[in-house]
Amino acid sequence: MQIAVLKERRAGEFRVAASPDSVKKFVAAGCKVAVEAGAGAGSQISDDAFKDVGATIAADAASAAGSADLVLKIQKPMTAAEGTDEVGYLKSGSVLMAHLQALTDKPLMEALAKQGVTTFALELMPRISRAQAMDILSSQSNLSGYKAVVDAASTFGRAMPMMMTAAGTIAPARVLVFGAGVAGLQAIATAKRMGAVVLATDVRYAAKEQVESLGGKFIVVDEEKMKAAETSAGYAKEMDDDFKKKQAEAVKTEVLKSDIVITTALIPGRPAPKLVTADMVAGMKAGSVIVDLAAEAGGNVDGTVKDEVTTTANGVTIIGYTNMPSRLGRDASTFFAKNILNFVTPMLDKESGTLKINWDDELVKGTLVTKDGNIVHPQLAG
């Protein structure tokens, strides 16, 4: 089987969908791997590093993908309208695996189906125990939560921990985290390790124990509604307006007292819920910092500008990077590549070295978007 790893072309994307380790394992399994020249440059992985473990280096995307049975990417492929027709590089009958943003870009899914490509949207991986090692959202969100705190601390004009010195005492920074999923929990843990006082809120009551286990204080809004706010797949549900109003009232006081606010709330396939209003931002102290990890989906904060760092009239800095994992490109690529390797390995036929996909497997069903010229995912079909 021929595997192609393409260079990412979207602005701000420095990751690559393979690592020397994953390539080495694919080659050991009998696969041939072609990596587009310069694919790993943004993650400090040289072409030679891939060549040393058995990959060949393709001059461009067209030559890498043209004969590939399996194409690996981080981001969804670009179209001719975007300047580079990556969809056109994919041969009919090939398989594409990437973070496709499938639920919000049906026209692209239709184009991939028309091209005859079988596609797996890795962001739709079911959140079950067996899939944990394949879950790109978790692996990348973990890094996002860490980087959010590091960025906030570097922007914040004061120290994070309490310091008692002969020159006086510095109070610890107060950090408030919205959303206690993977990114939020890592943000809580990182901020706590840096010495901050940490509070957190989440629509899911089940998050309370996790937050407290990391040393954070959990803000309870409506216990009964929170207990019913998690889907069977492990995602947060969209909450009603009454809950949102109660949540806003419960956290407003904490927002105004916070030095750093980190928001992580996302609803799959939906715009991000607004959690921090302009009124709240206007009431925060000068020098406070907000990191909005939901910026790509519209943001949890009024005033977030995608991929920009802005400062409000009252001196609050809002960080709105839309691709936080890419800011830790080497580690993010390593995690992403391992997620793909773990997903593909059970599909490989050991004797022939080709893909032998079990179409009835729940992980396959959960991520499969296009097949045999049609969109087949239940959330997009029809």
Side-chain angles (χ1 to χ4, degrees):
M1 181 176 69
Q2 181 76 42
I3 300 175
V5 180
L6 302 190
K7 181 178 179 178
E8 300 299 320
R9 289 171 167 77
R10 295 187 180 277
E13 183 54 78
F14 303 111
R15 294 172 292 174
V16 60
S19 67
D21 182 65
S22 71
V23 169
K24 182 178 180 179
K25 287 183 168 61
F26 277 130
V27 172
C31 303
K32 296 180 180 179
V33 181
V35 179
E36 183 183 353
S43 298
Q44 295 83 49
I45 305 174
S46 67
D47 290 346
D48 285 341
F50 285 121
K51 287 174 65 177
D52 288 346
V53 292
T56 58
I57 304 301
D60 52 37
S63 57
S67 59
D69 304 298
L70 172 62
V71 177
L72 307 179
K73 285 183 79 333
I74 296 285
Q75 298 264 11
K76 61 186 179 181
M78 298 176 74
T79 63
E82 295 175 290
T84 302
D85 186 13
E86 291 184 303
V87 173
Y89 297 153
L90 306 175
K91 73 174 185 180
S92 178
S94 64
V95 175
L96 170 67
M97 294 183 181
H99 186 157
L100 295 176
Q101 299 178 24
L103 299 183
T104 56
D105 197 346
K106 190 171 182 179
L108 176 61
M109 301 306 107
E110 291 171 342
L112 289 165
K114 185 178 180 180
Q115 187 74 7
V117 178
T118 298
T119 59
F120 289 90
L122 300 178
E123 74 274 15
L124 300 180
M125 187 69 65
R127 289 203 159 171
I128 59 176
S129 297
R130 184 163 65 91
Q132 286 181 354
M134 312 169 193
D135 187 351
I136 63 165
L137 295 185
S138 291
S139 72
Q140 304 302 292
S141 293
N142 211 327
L143 291 170
S144 293
Y146 163 79
K147 185 61 171 169
V149 176
V150 172
D151 282 356
S154 66
T155 303
F156 186 50
R158 290 173 40 208
M160 292 278 278
M162 173 182 282
M163 292 187 182
M164 300 177 70
T165 74
T169 299
I170 298 173
R174 292 180 66 89
V175 176
L176 175 61
V177 179
F178 283 80
V182 175
L185 291 173
Q186 183 57 251
I188 292 165
T190 303
K192 195 66 182 176
R193 285 197 297 268
M194 295 178 74
V197 172
V198 185
L199 296 91
T201 180
D202 192 286
V203 298
R204 299 165 300 129
Y205 190 76
K208 181 176 184 290
E209 184 177 345
Q210 294 171 304
V211 169
E212 292 175 346
S213 72
L214 295 172
K217 177 183 176 182
F218 189 74
I219 302 170
V220 177
V221 179
D222 183 322
E223 186 172 331
E224 291 306 312
K225 287 186 178 180
M226 293 173 82
K227 287 181 177 179
E230 185 171 355
T231 68
S232 58
Y235 297 98
K237 291 180 181 178
E238 177 79 33
M239 303 302 285
D240 59 32
D241 290 339
D242 178 62
F243 180 88
K244 291 177 182 178
K245 182 178 179 180
K246 288 180 180 179
Q247 184 184 45
E249 292 171 351
V251 302
K252 182 176 181 179
T253 300
E254 296 302 335
V255 168
L256 300 185
K257 292 192 295 184
S258 295
D259 298 301
I260 294 172
V261 173
I262 296 171
T263 65
T264 71
L266 288 166
I267 307 295
R270 301 283 297 277
K274 293 297 181 185
L275 303 176
V276 180
T277 66
D279 179 57
M280 292 181 191
V281 175
M284 293 179 71
K285 297 171 288 187
S288 299
V289 180
I290 300 172
V291 183
D292 191 344
L293 290 180
E296 188 170 5
N300 297 139
V301 182
D302 280 335
T304 295
V305 180
K306 285 186 177 182
D307 289 315
E308 291 189 19
V309 178
T310 57
T311 302
T312 65
N314 60 313
V316 178
T317 299
I318 303 176
I319 299 174
Y321 296 127
T322 59
N323 191 350
M324 195 65 83
S326 185
R327 292 167 58 76
L328 295 168
R330 181 63 179 260
D331 291 332
S333 296
T334 299
F335 282 175
F336 199 104
K338 190 60 178 291
N339 292 149
I340 290 178
L341 178 68
N342 290 337
F343 185 46
V344 174
T345 298
M347 302 179 183
L348 285 175
D349 183 85
K350 293 181 179 179
E351 293 183 2
S352 64
T354 60
L355 284 178
K356 189 174 182 180
I357 301 172
N358 176 8
W359 303 107
D360 293 322
D361 185 277
E362 60 184 320
L363 304 186
V364 170
K365 287 183 176 180
T367 54
L368 182 65
V369 178
T370 65
K371 182 176 181 282
D372 299 329
N374 298 302
I375 294 177
V376 298
H377 197 277
Q379 289 181 262
L380 285 169

